[in-house]
Amino acid sequence: MEICVIGAGYVGLVTSLGFAKLGNNVICVDIDINKVVSLNNGIPSIYEEGLEDMLIECLEKKNITFSNNIIEGIEKSNVIFIAVGTPEKNDWDIDMSQVYEVISQISNNILNYRLIVIKSTVPIGTQKKVNKIFLENGVSVDSFDIVSNPEFLREGRALHDFFNGDRIIIGCDSLRAKKIMKELYEPFTCEIIYTSPETAELTKYASNAFLASKISFINEIANLCNKVGADIETVAYAMGLDERISPKFLRAGIGYGGSCFPKDTKALVKIGDKHGIDFKIVRGAIEVNEKQRFIPIRILLNKYGSLEKKIITILGLSFKPKTDDIRDSPSLTIIEELIKNNANIKCYDPIAIDKVRNIYSNIMYCYNLYDAIENSDCIIICTEWDEFNSLNLGKIKDSMNYPMIIDGRNMLDGKKVREKGIEYYSIGKSN
Ligand code: UDX
Protein backbone atom coordinates (compact mmCIF):
# COMPACT_ATOMS: atom_id res chain seq x y z
CA MET A 1 0.00 0.00 0.00
CA GLU A 2 0.97 3.63 -0.35
CA ILE A 3 1.14 4.98 3.18
CA CYS A 4 1.80 8.41 4.59
CA VAL A 5 2.68 8.76 8.28
CA ILE A 6 2.52 12.28 9.65
CA GLY A 7 4.90 12.75 12.58
CA ALA A 8 8.32 11.15 12.93
CA GLY A 9 8.37 10.80 16.73
CA TYR A 10 8.52 7.44 18.52
CA VAL A 11 5.13 6.24 17.32
CA GLY A 12 5.34 7.74 13.82
CA LEU A 13 8.84 6.54 13.08
CA VAL A 14 8.24 3.02 14.35
CA THR A 15 4.92 2.79 12.47
CA SER A 16 6.60 4.04 9.28
CA LEU A 17 9.46 1.59 9.51
CA GLY A 18 7.20 -1.30 10.49
CA PHE A 19 4.92 -0.85 7.49
CA ALA A 20 7.88 -0.20 5.18
CA LYS A 21 9.58 -3.37 6.37
CA LEU A 22 6.38 -5.26 5.49
CA GLY A 23 6.77 -4.11 1.90
CA ASN A 24 4.51 -1.06 1.78
CA ASN A 25 5.72 2.24 0.34
CA VAL A 26 5.88 4.77 3.13
CA ILE A 27 6.37 8.50 3.12
CA CYS A 28 6.93 9.81 6.63
CA VAL A 29 6.30 13.53 7.02
CA ASP A 30 7.64 15.79 9.76
CA ILE A 31 7.84 19.58 10.03
CA ASP A 32 11.37 19.37 11.45
CA ILE A 33 13.57 19.62 8.36
CA ASN A 34 16.73 18.64 10.26
CA LYS A 35 15.07 15.44 11.38
CA VAL A 36 13.89 14.74 7.82
CA VAL A 37 17.38 15.23 6.39
CA SER A 38 19.02 13.03 9.05
CA LEU A 39 16.46 10.26 8.62
CA ASN A 40 16.87 10.30 4.84
CA ASN A 41 20.60 9.85 5.51
CA GLY A 42 19.97 6.85 7.72
CA ILE A 43 20.55 8.67 11.01
CA PRO A 44 17.77 7.98 13.55
CA SER A 45 16.36 10.84 15.61
CA ILE A 46 15.77 8.59 18.63
CA TYR A 47 17.58 5.68 20.23
CA GLU A 48 15.62 2.48 19.85
CA GLU A 49 16.95 -1.06 19.60
CA GLY A 50 17.21 -2.26 15.98
CA LEU A 51 15.87 0.99 14.57
CA GLU A 52 19.00 2.19 12.79
CA ASP A 53 19.47 -1.11 10.93
CA MET A 54 15.83 -1.19 9.88
CA LEU A 55 15.99 2.43 8.76
CA ILE A 56 19.01 1.76 6.57
CA GLU A 57 17.47 -1.43 5.17
CA CYS A 58 14.17 0.30 4.28
CA LEU A 59 15.98 3.29 2.75
CA GLU A 60 18.13 0.97 0.62
CA LYS A 61 15.07 -0.93 -0.57
CA LYS A 62 13.42 2.43 -1.26
CA ASN A 63 10.38 1.46 0.84
CA ILE A 64 10.60 4.62 2.88
CA THR A 65 11.33 8.29 2.36
CA PHE A 66 11.11 11.24 4.72
CA SER A 67 9.72 14.61 3.74
CA ASN A 68 8.62 17.89 5.25
CA ASN A 69 6.02 18.35 2.55
CA ILE A 70 2.68 17.20 3.93
CA ILE A 71 0.86 17.88 0.65
CA GLU A 72 3.20 15.48 -1.15
CA GLY A 73 2.42 12.89 1.52
CA ILE A 74 -1.34 13.37 1.16
CA GLU A 75 -1.18 13.18 -2.64
CA LYS A 76 1.02 10.11 -2.88
CA SER A 77 -0.76 7.79 -0.46
CA ASN A 78 -4.11 6.13 0.09
CA VAL A 79 -3.74 5.59 3.82
CA ILE A 80 -2.65 8.49 6.04
CA PHE A 81 -1.60 7.83 9.64
CA ILE A 82 -1.63 10.71 12.09
CA ALA A 83 1.10 10.22 14.67
CA VAL A 84 1.81 13.75 15.87
CA GLY A 85 2.25 14.67 19.52
CA THR A 86 -0.65 15.18 21.92
CA PRO A 87 1.20 16.71 24.88
CA GLU A 88 -0.21 17.42 28.30
CA LYS A 89 -1.42 20.89 29.14
CA ASN A 90 -0.98 22.41 32.61
CA ASP A 91 -4.55 21.58 33.61
CA TRP A 92 -4.12 17.84 32.72
CA ASP A 93 -6.05 18.40 29.50
CA ILE A 94 -4.57 17.30 26.18
CA ASP A 95 -3.10 19.75 23.70
CA MET A 96 -4.71 18.71 20.42
CA SER A 97 -3.35 21.59 18.34
CA GLN A 98 -0.94 19.45 16.31
CA VAL A 99 -3.67 16.93 15.44
CA TYR A 100 -6.11 19.63 14.36
CA GLU A 101 -3.48 21.44 12.31
CA VAL A 102 -2.81 18.21 10.42
CA ILE A 103 -6.55 17.53 10.03
CA SER A 104 -7.01 20.97 8.55
CA GLN A 105 -4.19 20.39 6.05
CA ILE A 106 -5.48 16.99 5.01
CA SER A 107 -9.09 18.11 4.65
CA ASN A 108 -8.01 21.09 2.54
CA ASN A 109 -5.83 19.06 0.20
CA ILE A 110 -7.63 15.80 -0.32
CA LEU A 111 -8.62 15.20 -3.95
CA ASN A 112 -9.92 11.66 -3.90
CA TYR A 113 -10.53 8.89 -1.36
CA ARG A 114 -8.15 8.71 1.58
CA LEU A 115 -8.31 6.63 4.72
CA ILE A 116 -7.17 8.67 7.72
CA VAL A 117 -5.96 6.64 10.70
CA ILE A 118 -5.49 8.32 14.08
CA LYS A 119 -2.54 6.71 15.90
CA SER A 120 -1.86 9.53 18.35
CA THR A 121 -3.44 9.09 21.79
CA VAL A 122 -6.47 11.37 21.62
CA PRO A 123 -9.52 12.11 23.80
CA ILE A 124 -12.58 9.93 23.37
CA GLY A 125 -14.80 11.40 20.70
CA THR A 126 -11.94 12.68 18.53
CA GLN A 127 -12.74 10.43 15.57
CA LYS A 128 -16.30 11.79 15.51
CA LYS A 129 -15.05 15.36 15.79
CA VAL A 130 -12.55 14.88 12.97
CA ASN A 131 -15.25 13.36 10.79
CA LYS A 132 -17.34 16.48 11.35
CA ILE A 133 -14.43 18.80 10.51
CA PHE A 134 -13.90 17.02 7.17
CA LEU A 135 -17.56 17.42 6.27
CA GLU A 136 -17.59 21.06 7.40
CA ASN A 137 -14.54 21.70 5.23
CA GLY A 138 -16.49 20.49 2.22
CA VAL A 139 -14.91 17.05 1.79
CA SER A 140 -17.53 14.72 0.36
CA VAL A 141 -18.58 11.75 2.44
CA ASP A 142 -17.30 9.41 -0.30
CA SER A 143 -13.80 10.82 -0.19
CA PHE A 144 -12.67 9.83 3.28
CA ASP A 145 -13.01 7.61 6.33
CA ILE A 146 -11.54 8.22 9.76
CA VAL A 147 -10.31 5.31 11.84
CA SER A 148 -9.00 5.15 15.41
CA ASN A 149 -6.07 2.76 15.76
CA PRO A 150 -4.27 3.46 19.06
CA GLU A 151 -0.67 2.40 19.56
CA PHE A 152 0.48 0.22 22.47
CA LEU A 153 4.22 0.03 21.81
CA ARG A 154 6.70 0.29 24.66
CA GLU A 155 9.82 2.38 24.25
CA GLY A 156 12.94 0.26 24.19
CA ARG A 157 10.95 -2.59 22.58
CA ALA A 158 9.03 -0.51 20.10
CA LEU A 159 9.91 -2.42 16.92
CA HIS A 160 9.39 -5.74 18.63
CA ASP A 161 6.00 -4.53 19.86
CA PHE A 162 5.03 -3.29 16.40
CA PHE A 163 5.41 -6.75 14.92
CA ASN A 164 4.42 -8.76 18.02
CA GLY A 165 1.77 -6.72 19.78
CA ASP A 166 -0.72 -8.40 22.09
CA ARG A 167 -3.63 -6.98 20.10
CA ILE A 168 -4.54 -4.46 17.44
CA ILE A 169 -7.59 -2.26 18.01
CA ILE A 170 -9.38 -0.71 15.13
CA GLY A 171 -12.23 1.67 15.78
CA CYS A 172 -14.17 2.42 12.62
CA ASP A 173 -17.69 3.02 11.48
CA SER A 174 -17.45 2.14 7.81
CA LEU A 175 -17.12 -1.18 5.98
CA ARG A 176 -14.91 0.42 3.35
CA ALA A 177 -12.42 1.50 6.04
CA LYS A 178 -12.58 -1.88 7.76
CA LYS A 179 -11.68 -3.64 4.49
CA ILE A 180 -8.57 -1.49 3.97
CA MET A 181 -7.47 -1.90 7.59
CA LYS A 182 -7.91 -5.66 7.31
CA GLU A 183 -5.66 -5.74 4.27
CA LEU A 184 -3.08 -3.49 5.92
CA TYR A 185 -2.89 -5.65 9.06
CA GLU A 186 -3.09 -8.93 7.15
CA PRO A 187 0.50 -9.99 8.04
CA PHE A 188 -0.16 -9.70 11.80
CA THR A 189 -1.03 -12.81 13.78
CA CYS A 190 -2.36 -11.28 17.03
CA GLU A 191 -6.05 -10.71 17.66
CA ILE A 192 -7.49 -7.77 15.77
CA ILE A 193 -10.48 -6.16 17.43
CA TYR A 194 -12.84 -4.19 15.24
CA THR A 195 -15.00 -1.92 17.31
CA SER A 196 -16.45 1.57 17.53
CA PRO A 197 -14.05 4.54 17.45
CA GLU A 198 -15.04 5.54 21.00
CA THR A 199 -14.27 2.06 22.30
CA ALA A 200 -10.88 2.03 20.58
CA GLU A 201 -10.03 5.48 21.91
CA LEU A 202 -11.02 4.56 25.46
CA THR A 203 -9.20 1.20 25.39
CA LYS A 204 -5.88 3.02 25.08
CA TYR A 205 -6.51 5.19 28.15
CA ALA A 206 -7.99 2.32 30.14
CA SER A 207 -4.96 0.10 29.43
CA ASN A 208 -2.40 2.70 30.39
CA ALA A 209 -4.31 3.83 33.48
CA PHE A 210 -4.69 0.24 34.62
CA LEU A 211 -0.97 -0.49 34.23
CA ALA A 212 -0.04 2.76 35.99
CA SER A 213 -2.43 1.87 38.84
CA LYS A 214 -0.85 -1.57 39.12
CA ILE A 215 2.58 0.03 39.57
CA SER A 216 1.33 2.53 42.14
CA PHE A 217 -0.47 -0.25 44.00
CA ILE A 218 2.67 -2.36 44.33
CA ASN A 219 4.65 0.74 45.29
CA GLU A 220 2.31 1.44 48.20
CA ILE A 221 2.63 -2.18 49.31
CA ALA A 222 6.43 -1.80 49.04
CA ASN A 223 6.31 1.30 51.22
CA LEU A 224 4.46 -0.72 53.85
CA CYS A 225 7.05 -3.52 53.49
CA ASN A 226 9.72 -1.00 54.48
CA LYS A 227 7.79 -0.19 57.65
CA VAL A 228 6.86 -3.71 58.75
CA GLY A 229 9.93 -5.63 57.58
CA ALA A 230 8.14 -7.63 54.88
CA ASP A 231 9.77 -8.34 51.51
CA ILE A 232 8.15 -6.81 48.42
CA GLU A 233 9.91 -9.20 46.03
CA THR A 234 8.31 -12.20 47.71
CA VAL A 235 4.95 -10.47 48.10
CA ALA A 236 4.92 -9.52 44.39
CA TYR A 237 6.10 -12.97 43.31
CA ALA A 238 3.46 -14.73 45.37
CA MET A 239 0.74 -12.34 44.20
CA GLY A 240 1.80 -12.83 40.59
CA LEU A 241 1.34 -16.60 40.78
CA ASP A 242 -2.37 -15.93 40.89
CA GLU A 243 -3.21 -15.95 37.19
CA ARG A 244 -5.81 -13.26 37.72
CA ILE A 245 -3.11 -10.90 38.95
CA SER A 246 -0.14 -11.95 36.70
CA PRO A 247 3.48 -11.27 37.67
CA LYS A 248 3.95 -8.44 35.17
CA PHE A 249 4.06 -4.79 36.18
CA LEU A 250 4.59 -5.60 39.83
CA ARG A 251 8.11 -4.19 40.09
CA ALA A 252 8.24 -1.72 42.95
CA GLY A 253 10.53 1.29 42.73
CA ILE A 254 10.60 5.07 42.47
CA GLY A 255 7.64 5.02 40.10
CA TYR A 256 6.76 5.32 36.47
CA GLY A 257 7.73 8.09 34.06
CA GLY A 258 7.85 8.47 30.30
CA SER A 259 5.65 10.08 27.73
CA CYS A 260 2.56 7.92 28.23
CA PHE A 261 1.60 6.87 31.76
CA PRO A 262 1.91 10.29 33.47
CA LYS A 263 0.08 12.06 30.64
CA ASP A 264 -2.58 9.44 29.92
CA THR A 265 -3.58 8.92 33.56
CA LYS A 266 -4.09 12.66 34.02
CA ALA A 267 -5.97 12.92 30.72
CA LEU A 268 -8.33 10.11 31.75
CA VAL A 269 -9.11 11.86 35.04
CA LYS A 270 -9.80 15.05 33.10
CA ILE A 271 -12.00 13.25 30.58
CA GLY A 272 -13.87 11.62 33.49
CA ASP A 273 -14.36 15.05 35.11
CA LYS A 274 -15.96 16.33 31.93
CA HIS A 275 -18.46 13.48 32.06
CA GLY A 276 -19.12 13.59 35.80
CA ILE A 277 -17.03 10.49 36.57
CA ASP A 278 -14.52 10.91 39.38
CA PHE A 279 -11.68 8.46 38.67
CA LYS A 280 -10.62 7.96 42.30
CA ILE A 281 -8.32 5.00 41.66
CA VAL A 282 -6.46 6.72 38.83
CA ARG A 283 -6.19 9.94 40.85
CA GLY A 284 -4.69 7.87 43.66
CA ALA A 285 -2.25 6.18 41.28
CA ILE A 286 -1.05 9.60 40.08
CA GLU A 287 -0.61 10.90 43.62
CA VAL A 288 1.27 7.81 44.78
CA ASN A 289 3.53 7.98 41.74
CA GLU A 290 4.35 11.64 42.23
CA LYS A 291 5.37 10.99 45.86
CA GLN A 292 7.33 7.82 45.16
CA ARG A 293 10.22 9.61 43.49
CA PHE A 294 10.86 11.65 46.66
CA ILE A 295 11.73 8.55 48.69
CA PRO A 296 15.50 8.73 47.98
CA ILE A 297 15.54 12.37 49.08
CA ARG A 298 13.78 11.45 52.33
CA ILE A 299 16.28 8.67 53.00
CA LEU A 300 19.17 11.07 52.34
CA LEU A 301 17.77 13.81 54.59
CA ASN A 302 17.20 11.28 57.38
CA LYS A 303 20.77 10.11 57.03
CA TYR A 304 22.62 13.38 56.61
CA GLY A 305 20.29 16.07 57.96
CA SER A 306 21.63 18.51 55.40
CA LEU A 307 22.81 17.69 51.88
CA GLU A 308 24.88 20.87 51.58
CA LYS A 309 28.14 19.98 49.78
CA LYS A 310 27.35 16.25 49.86
CA ILE A 311 28.28 14.52 46.63
CA ILE A 312 25.34 12.50 45.35
CA THR A 313 25.64 10.19 42.35
CA ILE A 314 22.69 9.50 40.09
CA LEU A 315 23.00 6.26 38.13
CA GLY A 316 20.52 6.19 35.28
CA LEU A 317 18.67 9.19 33.87
CA SER A 318 16.24 7.81 31.30
CA PHE A 319 12.76 6.90 32.57
CA LYS A 320 13.52 3.26 31.89
CA PRO A 321 16.39 1.24 30.38
CA LYS A 322 17.07 0.81 26.65
CA THR A 323 15.84 4.28 25.76
CA ASP A 324 17.31 7.78 25.83
CA ASP A 325 13.91 9.23 26.67
CA ILE A 326 13.99 11.39 29.80
CA ARG A 327 10.42 12.69 29.63
CA ASP A 328 8.97 12.78 33.15
CA SER A 329 11.82 10.63 34.38
CA PRO A 330 11.97 10.28 38.20
CA SER A 331 15.71 11.05 37.96
CA LEU A 332 14.94 14.65 36.95
CA THR A 333 12.73 15.27 39.98
CA ILE A 334 15.46 13.82 42.19
CA ILE A 335 18.11 16.04 40.57
CA GLU A 336 15.91 19.11 41.09
CA GLU A 337 15.39 18.25 44.77
CA LEU A 338 19.11 17.71 45.23
CA ILE A 339 19.83 21.08 43.63
CA LYS A 340 17.34 22.71 46.02
CA ASN A 341 19.20 21.05 48.90
CA ASN A 342 22.55 22.38 47.65
CA ALA A 343 24.02 18.94 47.05
CA ASN A 344 26.78 18.41 44.50
CA ILE A 345 25.47 16.09 41.84
CA LYS A 346 27.35 13.67 39.61
CA CYS A 347 25.43 11.60 37.11
CA TYR A 348 25.92 8.78 34.67
CA ASP A 349 23.71 7.15 32.06
CA PRO A 350 24.89 4.97 29.16
CA ILE A 351 22.69 6.76 26.61
CA ALA A 352 20.57 9.62 27.96
CA ILE A 353 23.31 11.81 29.48
CA ASP A 354 23.49 14.38 26.69
CA LYS A 355 19.75 14.98 26.87
CA VAL A 356 20.03 15.91 30.56
CA ARG A 357 23.14 18.01 29.87
CA ASN A 358 20.86 20.36 27.91
CA ILE A 359 18.73 20.99 31.01
CA TYR A 360 21.03 21.46 34.03
CA SER A 361 24.33 23.27 33.79
CA ASN A 362 25.52 23.03 37.39
CA ILE A 363 25.92 19.29 37.76
CA MET A 364 28.77 16.98 36.81
CA TYR A 365 28.18 14.70 33.82
CA CYS A 366 30.34 11.57 33.76
CA TYR A 367 30.82 9.31 30.79
CA ASN A 368 32.32 6.58 32.95
CA LEU A 369 30.32 4.96 35.70
CA TYR A 370 33.20 4.82 38.15
CA ASP A 371 34.08 8.49 37.64
CA ALA A 372 30.55 9.28 38.76
CA ILE A 373 31.00 7.25 41.93
CA GLU A 374 34.35 8.68 43.04
CA ASN A 375 34.18 10.58 46.37
CA SER A 376 30.40 10.18 46.43
CA ASP A 377 28.37 10.25 49.65
CA CYS A 378 25.55 8.22 48.16
CA ILE A 379 24.57 6.49 44.92
CA ILE A 380 20.93 6.62 43.83
CA ILE A 381 19.98 4.09 41.16
CA CYS A 382 17.16 5.64 39.12
CA THR A 383 17.12 3.37 36.05
CA GLU A 384 17.71 -0.39 35.96
CA TRP A 385 20.29 -0.42 33.15
CA ASP A 386 21.81 -3.91 32.70
CA GLU A 387 25.35 -2.71 33.38
CA PHE A 388 24.37 -1.74 36.95
CA ASN A 389 23.81 -5.43 37.64
CA SER A 390 27.53 -6.06 37.51
CA LEU A 391 28.79 -3.15 39.59
CA ASN A 392 32.21 -3.79 41.11
CA LEU A 393 31.13 -3.38 44.72
CA GLY A 394 34.67 -3.54 46.11
CA LYS A 395 35.78 -0.73 43.84
CA ILE A 396 32.70 1.28 44.73
CA LYS A 397 33.29 0.89 48.47
CA ASP A 398 36.91 2.03 48.10
CA SER A 399 36.20 5.03 45.91
CA MET A 400 33.17 6.48 47.70
CA ASN A 401 33.49 9.05 50.45
CA TYR A 402 30.71 7.21 52.32
CA PRO A 403 29.52 3.82 51.06
CA MET A 404 25.76 4.08 50.58
CA ILE A 405 23.40 2.99 47.80
CA ILE A 406 19.71 3.82 47.43
CA ASP A 407 18.42 1.28 44.95
CA GLY A 408 15.41 3.02 43.43
CA ARG A 409 14.77 0.07 41.13
CA ASN A 410 15.33 -2.82 43.55
CA MET A 411 17.87 -4.33 41.18
CA LEU A 412 20.83 -5.20 43.42
CA ASP A 413 21.26 -8.08 45.82
CA GLY A 414 21.08 -6.17 49.10
CA LYS A 415 22.80 -8.92 51.05
CA LYS A 416 25.85 -8.87 48.76
CA VAL A 417 26.00 -5.06 48.86
CA ARG A 418 25.88 -4.99 52.66
CA GLU A 419 28.49 -7.76 52.92
CA LYS A 420 30.89 -5.38 51.15
CA GLY A 421 30.26 -2.82 53.88
CA ILE A 422 27.97 -0.62 51.83
CA GLU A 423 24.79 0.77 53.41
CA TYR A 424 21.86 -0.34 51.26
CA TYR A 425 18.32 1.00 50.93
CA SER A 426 15.63 -0.38 48.64
CA ILE A 427 11.94 0.16 48.00
CA GLY A 428 10.46 -2.54 50.19
CA LYS A 429 13.00 -5.37 49.97
CA SER A 430 13.87 -7.11 53.21
CA ASN A 431 17.44 -7.73 52.07
C1 UDX B 1 3.77 2.44 28.08
C2 UDX B 1 2.83 1.28 27.74
O1 UDX B 1 3.39 0.05 28.23
C3 UDX B 1 2.58 1.23 26.26
O2 UDX B 1 1.67 0.18 25.97
C4 UDX B 1 2.01 2.57 25.82
O3 UDX B 1 1.77 2.59 24.46
C5 UDX B 1 2.95 3.69 26.19
O4 UDX B 1 3.22 3.65 27.60
P1 UDX B 1 6.39 2.91 27.98
O5 UDX B 1 6.07 4.24 28.59
O6 UDX B 1 7.32 2.85 26.82
O7 UDX B 1 5.03 2.20 27.48
O8 UDX B 1 7.04 2.01 29.11
P2 UDX B 1 6.68 0.76 30.05
O9 UDX B 1 7.65 -0.31 29.79
O10 UDX B 1 5.27 0.39 29.98
O11 UDX B 1 7.05 1.37 31.48
C6 UDX B 1 6.47 2.58 31.93
C7 UDX B 1 7.04 2.99 33.26
O12 UDX B 1 6.60 2.13 34.29
C8 UDX B 1 8.56 3.03 33.34
O13 UDX B 1 8.93 4.21 34.01
C9 UDX B 1 8.90 1.82 34.19
O14 UDX B 1 10.09 1.99 34.91
C10 UDX B 1 7.70 1.74 35.11
N1 UDX B 1 7.43 0.39 35.62
C11 UDX B 1 7.04 -0.59 34.78
C12 UDX B 1 7.54 0.15 36.99
O15 UDX B 1 7.89 1.03 37.78
N2 UDX B 1 7.23 -1.10 37.46
C13 UDX B 1 6.82 -2.11 36.65
O16 UDX B 1 6.57 -3.21 37.15
C14 UDX B 1 6.74 -1.84 35.26
Side-chain angles (χ1 to χ4, degrees):
M1 282 194 192
E2 303 295 323
I3 296 172
C4 169
V5 178
I6 303 174
Y10 270 97
V11 171
L13 190 52
V14 171
T15 304
S16 300
L17 287 172
F19 282 122
K21 170 88 181 164
L22 290 171
N24 300 285
N25 290 324
V26 179
I27 172 162
C28 178
V29 178
D30 200 286
I31 46 170
D32 182 343
I33 184 69
N34 294 326
K35 208 188 247 189
V36 167
V37 171
S38 306
L39 286 165
N40 273 327
N41 285 317
I43 304 160
S45 40
I46 50 168
Y47 174 80
E48 187 64 43
E49 216 163 69
L51 191 129
E52 188 168 1
D53 289 348
M54 200 176 287
L55 173 64
I56 292 167
E57 183 192 328
C58 291
L59 284 168
E60 276 169 3
K61 286 191 179 154
K62 299 204 184 326
N63 281 126
I64 198 163
T65 99
F66 296 89
S67 164
N68 68 337
N69 185 345
I70 189 166
I71 304 204
E72 184 195 358
I74 298 165
E75 276 170 5
K76 284 191 176 161
S77 42
N78 18 60
V79 181
I80 303 170
F81 279 90
I82 298 177
V84 293
T86 49
E88 179 188 330
K89 292 203 279 194
N90 285 340
D91 60 354
W92 292 18
D93 225 332
I94 303 152
D95 177 355
M96 288 287 289
S97 55
Q98 294 179 48
V99 172
Y100 287 122
E101 173 58 32
V102 166
I103 292 302
S104 150
Q105 286 180 309
I106 302 174
S107 59
N108 287 320
N109 289 285
I110 172 173
L111 295 173
N112 36 41
Y113 182 80
R114 295 288 181 270
L115 176 63
I116 291 90
V117 186
I118 306 172
K119 266 253 164 251
S120 306
T121 303
V122 294
I124 299 123
T126 298
Q127 185 270 2
K128 280 239 151 31
K129 218 164 158 181
V130 170
N131 222 61
K132 208 164 147 239
I133 295 175
F134 266 69
L135 294 173
E136 280 167 4
N137 286 357
V139 184
S140 100
V141 79
D142 300 329
S143 300
F144 75 97
D145 280 307
I146 316 286
V147 166
S148 162
N149 175 213
E151 185 50 68
F152 296 97
L153 57 82
R154 291 162 292 179
E155 288 181 23
R157 298 172 58 92
L159 287 168
H160 172 272
D161 285 353
F162 179 87
F163 294 105
N164 309 283
D166 293 328
R167 76 307 209 183
I168 290 163
I169 310 234
I170 294 167
C172 67
D173 42 21
S174 114
L175 278 176
R176 179 175 52 183
K178 185 175 174 183
K179 199 167 154 263
I180 300 172
M181 293 304 279
K182 238 183 180 157
E183 200 181 318
L184 189 63
Y185 279 109
E186 230 258 312
F188 294 79
T189 50
C190 66
E191 182 165 347
I192 302 183
I193 298 161
Y194 293 93
T195 182
S196 71
E198 293 75 19
T199 307
E201 288 164 345
L202 180 53
T203 304
K204 167 76 184 199
Y205 282 110
S207 303
N208 277 355
F210 185 84
L211 290 170
S213 304
K214 203 172 174 189
I215 297 170
S216 281
F217 180 87
I218 203 68
N219 281 340
E220 279 202 303
I221 300 289
N223 295 344
L224 181 61
C225 286
N226 270 337
K227 300 276 184 204
V228 299
D231 178 42
I232 192 61
E233 305 276 277
T234 313
V235 173
Y237 175 72
M239 281 172 67
L241 290 178
D242 184 328
E243 278 178 14
R244 295 168 303 175
I245 297 175
S246 124
K248 295 194 179 138
F249 268 69
L250 286 180
R251 270 184 294 110
I254 51 173
Y256 59 78
S259 64
C260 287
F261 287 172
K263 170 172 81 97
D264 294 350
T265 43
K266 290 175 190 160
L268 183 59
V269 168
K270 192 81 193 187
I271 293 166
D273 283 349
K274 286 181 186 164
H275 294 275
I277 309 275
D278 182 11
F279 274 105
K280 291 195 173 65
I281 293 174
V282 186
R283 261 186 218 283
I286 297 167
E287 197 187 321
V288 169
N289 192 61
E290 285 179 351
K291 283 194 184 144
Q292 202 66 11
R293 45 183 74 180
F294 286 87
I295 290 177
I297 303 293
R298 237 181 20 239
I299 296 172
L300 275 172
L301 287 173
N302 274 342
K303 171 81 192 167
Y304 286 122
S306 157
L307 301 182
E308 182 110 30
K309 303 250 159 54
K310 292 284 177 215
I311 299 178
I312 310 297
T313 303
I314 306 286
L315 290 189
L317 297 165
S318 56
F319 83 97
K320 68 175 199 178
K322 292 191 180 169
T323 175
D324 62 348
D325 196 342
I326 55 164
R327 284 178 286 179
D328 218 330
S329 179
S331 67
L332 303 188
T333 312
I334 292 171
I335 287 174
E336 276 154 29
E337 284 305 300
L338 290 172
I339 292 174
K340 277 190 210 153
N341 281 281
N342 296 319
N344 292 327
I345 305 162
K346 291 171 100 179
C347 64
Y348 170 80
D349 186 285
I351 294 182
I353 198 152
D354 288 329
K355 288 210 165 166
V356 179
R357 193 183 260 281
N358 293 333
I359 310 177
Y360 310 104
S361 53
N362 49 350
I363 69 181
M364 196 188 278
Y365 296 93
C366 303
Y367 288 83
N368 176 297
L369 196 155
Y370 293 96
D371 287 348
I373 283 164
E374 214 178 316
N375 296 327
S376 174
D377 293 290
C378 180
I379 294 170
I380 306 175
I381 299 179
C382 290
T383 320
E384 64 276 36
W385 282 102
D386 267 354
E387 66 182 277
F388 304 158
N389 274 316
S390 47
L391 292 176
N392 182 336
L393 295 171
K395 193 169 166 183
I396 286 179
K397 163 91 187 345
D398 292 343
S399 65
M400 287 182 82
N401 183 43
Y402 184 84
M404 171 176 177
I405 297 179
I406 301 172
D407 184 357
R409 295 295 174 188
N410 285 355
M411 64 183 298
L412 303 183
D413 181 335
K415 195 160 166 264
K416 277 193 191 150
V417 177
R418 287 195 187 100
E419 273 168 13
K420 289 281 178 196
I422 302 172
E423 218 168 291
Y424 178 76
Y425 298 83
S426 66
I427 315 292
K429 289 203 299 172
S430 67
N431 59 36

